[in-house]
Amino acid sequence: MKTIGIIGYGNVGETLAKYINNCDKLKLSWICSKHFNNKTIFPDTKLFTEIAQIQILPDVIFITSKDKDICDIANMLADTFTNNLHSKIVIHTSGALGLESLTICEKYGAIVCAAHPFQTFFSKEIDCLNNIFWGIEISNNEYLADISDLIISFNGHPFFLPPEIINNKALYHCIAVSVSNYVAGAIKLGTLIANEINLPKKDFFVPIINQTIENCLNSIINNDNDFPVTGPIVRNDTKTIEKHIKALNNFPVLQQSYIDFANGLKSIFNTKKN
């Protein structure tokens, strides 16, 4: 049974902690965070607010903090534990950063790894970890099996990133943002506009969103880059788009968001006739 420590208790950290607490193969030793929300209490798990309070290092340390804090946390770990980091696995879960932010831990003998769960963690429920892929970059290939076993313990699929992706981590993370946050943003825009005319969202939205997602997934499964998008943008129906924009005159923020989405969609699909 591997022992785990988590530094950072945002959406990812809390989700991992919940999963570990319910997993027979893993043991949650401690959580370190300056901001505990007290929503979840784990029996036999120590809670720290400072790295200096930690006395025992577990087998694996997950750093699930904001990207801007990862390097500082790695430096604090190195300053606090020095050679005691030897043979410990230190992992950050950022999708945008590589191994460079953990170099100081590697200097003291830690096995460092960037392991990004390709998922959205808004719900913080452990089910969102099931059957997802983790994009992994590791400092020492001798530990590929160890990292694979760890990710499999989370019911995930380890995917060791090839050099082409490692050299383009920003693009890799951009993809995750595009297929999750931007999709949610488009739907959110629709809900805000619907609120202005009291359209019953549950009745109208669920079928069209489900069908849109199904269409997109079918294109991905069939490796078809010609996504099944319809509507005035791909038909180049400028008069209808102008009506939409005019109808939003009293809602300037929504209007600008709609224009931005329209321009983006037009650029992506190149006003291809449908």
Side-chain angles (χ1 to χ4, degrees), residues 173-204:
H173 192 242
C174 172
I175 294 166
V177 172
S178 298
V179 299
S180 59
N181 297 344
Y182 288 174
V183 172
I187 296 172
K188 177 68 173 180
L189 174 61
T191 65
L192 293 174
I193 298 172
N195 290 341
E196 298 299 335
I197 60 172
N198 295 317
L199 183 74
K201 296 185 290 294
K202 181 179 178 181
D203 296 330
F204 278 82

Side-chain angles (χ1 to χ4, degrees), residues 90-210:
V90 179
I91 299 174
H92 76 63
T93 56
S94 167
L97 300 181
L99 297 178
E100 64 279 353
S101 55
L102 302 178
T103 300
I104 188 66
C105 293
E106 185 179 16
K107 176 183 174 181
Y108 287 105
I111 300 103
V112 300
C113 176
H116 172 245
F118 206 84
Q119 179 61 287
T120 177
F121 288 92
F122 180 80
S123 70
K124 295 179 283 190
E125 296 299 328
I126 62 175
D127 287 348
C128 70
L129 287 168
N130 289 337
N131 209 33
I132 67 171
F133 276 72
W134 293 58
I136 302 169
E137 184 180 354
I138 189 171
S139 63
N140 190 332
N141 287 338
E142 292 181 13
Y143 295 91
L144 290 176
D146 296 88
I147 299 300
S148 292
D149 289 343
L150 177 64
I151 300 307
I152 291 170
S153 295
F154 285 99
N155 201 27
H157 301 284
F159 181 85
F160 292 93
L161 301 176
E164 179 183 8
I165 298 179
I166 290 173
N167 293 333
N168 290 283
K169 289 296 286 288
L171 288 179
Y172 163 82
H173 192 242
C174 172
I175 294 166
V177 172
S178 298
V179 299
S180 59
N181 297 344
Y182 288 174
V183 172
I187 296 172
K188 177 68 173 180
L189 174 61
T191 65
L192 293 174
I193 298 172
N195 290 341
E196 298 299 335
I197 60 172
N198 295 317
L199 183 74
K201 296 185 290 294
K202 181 179 178 181
D203 296 330
F204 278 82
F205 279 28
V206 173
I208 193 170
I209 291 173
N210 283 339

